[in-house]
Amino acid sequence: MSEFIGSVWWLIVSLGVLVTFHEFGHYWVARRAGVKVLRFSVGFGKPLWLRRGADGTEYAVAAIPLGGYVKMLDEREGDVAPAEVGQAFNRQSVWKRIAIVAAGPVANLLLCVALFWLMFVIGRPDYAPVVGQAEGIAAEAGLRRGDTLLAIGDRETPTWSEAQLALIPAALDHADVAVHVRTAEGMERTRTLALSRLPAAFDERRAVDAIGLLPRHLLVPPVVGSVSEGLPAWGVLAENDRITAIDGTAVNDWTEIGPLVQQLGQRGVPVMVEVQRGDERLALELTPGRVTPASGEPYWALGVAAARPAEPAKDALLQYGPAAAVPAALRETAHQARELIAMIGRAFSGRVSVENTVAGPITIARAANAYAHHGAAWYLSMLAMLSLSLGILNLLPIPVLDGGHLLYYLIELVKGSPVSDRTMAVGQYVGLALIAGLMGLAFYNDILNNLVR
């Protein structure tokens, strides 16, 4: 229940901030363009709070916190007193109308820059981009345990999250990418990940796994969590024993134990298992046993399970000084905008599944709650991305969105007269149908990804 309440709370906070800034952009430019604003509302439906300002504008917080609006004086929506005709939106020049409509998305882009700047100044704790295990394509490229990923393509990767965000688009595009690394020995090298060899269809949510990379911080330490009665390790190994070597081969993480046991089990002879038990180092003799599961192939086993590892401490910090954070925030906003536009293109072209592209309120709420629990900098980064997404999506040329209105005004500039009321009415119906379909897809994805899986 606490997770549910937290998710709802952070969803309301996030949408409240983003919608307020978006609508304030419309409001601010409209007032300076000489347009009378009748109502500035955060949320839809019945107002929970309403106050009339000295300028005659009603300021409201409404019951449904999934959007907002700025209602301006407009002859198309009601009678306008002769003395106020000059303040009606529809009487403004096309350039003023363009400025007013574009101001909402622009406000979200500016907010994105400000949030990224604040995130960089605070500093976002993360994990170092160190390879813990390389298999498949990653191993074939020459990546090895202990390599530090310095840059992927032309993007520097000071943390693992940055490396992950750089790898995913390349994987989705099946594009080979250069990886600049510092090896465990301290030498800098460039490797090429042949991502063009990825399967045509793979789990897009696990793109880094498909490449064969496991970061160091996700390695499971070779510490015994439990011992199964009746199997070889029973009475020999104990909980909290740290396995350091098997038959002379050093063990660094839990995933190395299984393959070693399979190889040695075929001998049918005892092997030496070296463990650290408290302050003692012990060499214990064990013979792997053959286990036949109810379903699946038989395998060799010692009869131990890994201890549940604690969350590793963050060992990297993405941070800049206040001055250096300004260009960093601008670069990050531009980069993420390009990536978002590219992702929209992939979705329309069918190169990525829409179920992993369009997120609904449940997914956003859970993400907001999770990021908030990781700290202020992480939450700010998520809020910046949401603000950017809201700004760019609102610029899509879909009627009822800001981008649809801008399209009408561009047509007006070309033809020299406004788009007809009939055309605008048809566009509104088409736009509402598209938005309804998009919302339906978002809710479907929410149910599929959060409730079914």
Side-chain angles (χ1 to χ4, degrees), residues 235-312:
V236 180
L237 298 181
E239 291 183 13
N240 298 320
D241 281 353
R242 187 181 187 92
I243 300 175
T244 57
I246 296 179
D247 206 38
T249 301
V251 173
N252 296 293
D253 66 271
W254 191 267
T255 60
E256 296 176 345
I257 296 175
L260 283 172
V261 172
Q262 301 314 303
Q263 295 173 16
L264 299 173
Q266 297 175 4
R267 294 185 190 175
V269 296
V271 298
M272 297 303 295
V273 178
E274 299 175 36
V275 302
Q276 182 78 37
R277 181 177 294 170
D279 295 329
E280 295 182 279
R281 293 184 65 87
L282 306 173
L284 306 170
E285 192 175 80
L286 282 171
T287 302
R290 191 73 164 165
V291 174
T292 304
S295 61
E297 296 293 326
Y299 61 92
W300 299 96
L302 298 178
V304 292
R308 186 173 182 178
E311 182 177 351

Side-chain angles (χ1 to χ4, degrees), residues 354-355 357-360 435-447:
V354 291
E355 69 183 55
T357 306
V358 181
I435 295 299
L438 191 62
M439 291 178 62
L441 177 62
F443 279 108
Y444 171 79
N445 288 343
D446 269 353
I447 294 171

Side-chain angles (χ1 to χ4, degrees), residues 189-218:
R189 296 285 186 268
T190 298
R191 315 294 190 196
T192 300
L193 285 172
L195 303 184
S196 56
R197 294 175 50 200
L198 281 168
F202 63 91
D203 189 344
E204 297 154 2
R205 295 165 301 173
R206 303 178 64 86
V208 177
D209 292 345
I211 296 170
L213 277 176
L214 182 70
R216 180 180 64 185
H217 64 271
L218 290 185

Side-chain angles (χ1 to χ4, degrees), residues 76-408:
R76 296 166 300 180
E77 297 180 5
D79 295 333
V80 175
E84 296 183 328
V85 167
Q87 299 179 64
F89 175 79
N90 64 294
R91 290 296 185 99
Q92 307 306 310
S93 70
V94 66
W95 288 111
K96 282 188 177 182
R97 282 177 278 141
I98 287 174
I100 293 168
V101 170
V106 170
N108 282 123
L109 296 178
L110 293 175
L111 176 61
C112 176
V113 174
L115 291 169
F116 274 135
W117 177 84
L118 187 56
M119 178 204 75
F120 285 132
V121 171
I122 293 173
R124 190 179 71 188
D126 206 330
Y127 295 105
V130 180
V131 176
Q133 183 175 302
E135 297 176 338
I137 291 174
E140 293 166 8
L143 293 175
R144 298 290 181 265
R145 178 196 299 273
D147 285 353
T148 300
L149 308 180
L150 302 177
I152 296 172
D154 59 358
R155 182 171 173 81
E156 293 183 359
T157 54
T159 68
W160 177 254
S161 294
E162 298 298 302
Q164 198 170 19
L165 289 174
L167 284 169
I168 290 173
L172 295 176
D173 291 337
H174 290 77
D176 296 348
V177 65
V179 181
H180 190 56
V181 304
R182 182 188 301 114
T183 66
E185 295 74 29
M187 296 179 290
E188 294 193 9
R189 296 285 186 268
T190 298
R191 315 294 190 196
T192 300
L193 285 172
L195 303 184
S196 56
R197 294 175 50 200
L198 281 168
F202 63 91
D203 189 344
E204 297 154 2
R205 295 165 301 173
R206 303 178 64 86
V208 177
D209 292 345
I211 296 170
L213 277 176
L214 182 70
R216 180 180 64 185
H217 64 271
L218 290 185
L219 291 176
V220 178
V223 176
V224 176
S226 62
V227 184
S228 299
E229 186 174 355
L231 290 178
W234 182 255
V236 180
L237 298 181
E239 291 183 13
N240 298 320
D241 281 353
R242 187 181 187 92
I243 300 175
T244 57
I246 296 179
D247 206 38
T249 301
V251 173
N252 296 293
D253 66 271
W254 191 267
T255 60
E256 296 176 345
I257 296 175
L260 283 172
V261 172
Q262 301 314 303
Q263 295 173 16
L264 299 173
Q266 297 175 4
R267 294 185 190 175
V269 296
V271 298
M272 297 303 295
V273 178
E274 299 175 36
V275 302
Q276 182 78 37
R277 181 177 294 170
D279 295 329
E280 295 182 279
R281 293 184 65 87
L282 306 173
L284 306 170
E285 192 175 80
L286 282 171
T287 302
R290 191 73 164 165
V291 174
T292 304
S295 61
E297 296 293 326
Y299 61 92
W300 299 96
L302 298 178
V304 292
R308 186 173 182 178
E311 182 177 351
K314 303 281 197 308
D315 55 359
L317 183 67
L318 182 61
Q319 187 175 39
Y320 296 96
V326 174
L330 291 170
R331 287 195 305 270
E332 187 66 15
T333 300
H335 174 79
Q336 294 300 341
R338 289 194 299 270
E339 291 299 327
L340 179 57
I341 292 170
M343 187 62 74
I344 293 172
R346 294 185 190 104
F348 276 105
S349 65
R351 284 180 290 159
V352 296
S353 61
V354 291
E355 69 183 55
N356 294 323
T357 306
V358 181
I362 298 175
T363 299
I364 295 173
R366 295 184 65 176
N369 186 48
Y371 274 75
H373 278 82
H374 280 295
W378 277 97
Y379 178 70
L380 289 171
S381 69
M382 188 217 69
L383 200 58
M385 286 302 302
L386 284 178
S387 187
L388 180 65
S389 300
L390 181 60
I392 289 178
L393 291 176
N394 258 286
L395 288 174
L396 292 176
I398 299 175
V400 311
L401 294 182
D402 293 332
H405 292 290
L406 291 174
L407 178 61
Y408 291 147

